[in-house]
Amino acid sequence: MDNDNDIKEACKIMQEGGLILYPTDTIWGIGCDATNELAVKRVYEIKKRIDSKALIVLVDSPAKIDFYTDHVPDIAWDLVEVADKPLTIVYPNARNLAHNLLAEDGSVGIRITKEPFSHKLCERFRKAIVSTSANISGAPSPRNFSEISQEIKDAVDYIVEYRQNEMTHPSPSSVIKLEEGGIVKILRP
């Protein structure tokens, strides 16, 4: 299947409330429509993760950040612009997203993906897409497709074919939290 068909099928599944397994700008992720509470609930169930632990979302452009948060501190734009590797920024006061993917304080982690496949997927889907490591909570994050457990593969509704044979070992993104008053906290370097 070519990338375009993969993207079409993944979008169709997510529009129907389904879950996908897909390559991101970091590691392989479990994804779904970030505005669909039932789909998000299934992600927590598959990962056997308590839902008080927030999930991050991917978007394809800085303009989408404004749609999903009440206020984007100026420092965020600088950080996005200078980031030379994938950077997830946790913003306060999330909105227009499934309530159950947010942190208890109402914040959300958002990453703008520049990797061609996940970028095109976000662009075509036109909504934020959940991106959480394709593993059971507490187990090591799979560094490539071959390390994803059969349990995870069997639990999703669609597995993207693109990049399944790659054997690279990408790292998770850096995570920075922006708090009220311009305070920046590094959560994962």
Side-chain angles (χ1 to χ4, degrees), residues 42-167:
R42 271 190 65 208
V43 171
Y44 285 117
E45 289 167 356
I46 287 170
K47 287 184 64 78
K48 299 182 169 106
R49 182 172 170 178
I50 55 170
D51 63 10
S52 63
K53 284 194 90 181
L55 299 174
I56 70 156
V57 300
L58 291 185
V59 296
D60 60 304
S61 75
K64 300 259 175 77
I65 296 170
D66 274 326
F67 184 72
Y68 293 117
T69 62
D70 268 350
H71 172 68
V72 181
D74 290 338
I75 185 87
W77 303 122
D78 296 336
L79 292 168
V80 166
E81 200 170 297
V82 300
D84 59 351
K85 69 178 220 170
L87 173 66
T88 300
I89 299 177
V90 179
Y91 298 90
N93 306 317
R95 61 182 180 173
N96 300 319
L97 292 164
H99 188 72
N100 56 341
L101 74 72
L102 307 180
E104 289 178 341
D105 65 1
S107 63
V108 65
I110 301 175
R111 186 167 73 247
I112 300 167
T113 179
K114 295 176 184 154
E115 181 271 331
F117 182 85
S118 55
H119 179 87
K120 193 170 183 184
L121 181 64
C122 288
E123 188 177 70
R124 189 84 60 87
F125 191 59
R126 295 192 181 124
K127 290 190 233 174
I129 299 174
V130 165
S131 178
T132 184
S133 57
N135 61 319
I136 302 298
S137 193
S141 295
R143 295 173 299 169
N144 54 55
F145 182 78
S146 68
E147 293 181 1
I148 300 171
S149 72
Q150 195 58 48
E151 183 178 358
I152 294 288
K153 291 175 185 172
D154 291 343
V156 299
D157 302 302
Y158 181 72
I159 300 174
V160 168
E161 289 184 20
Y162 180 63
R163 287 179 46 199
Q164 283 189 14
N165 296 322
E166 278 184 15
M167 297 308 287

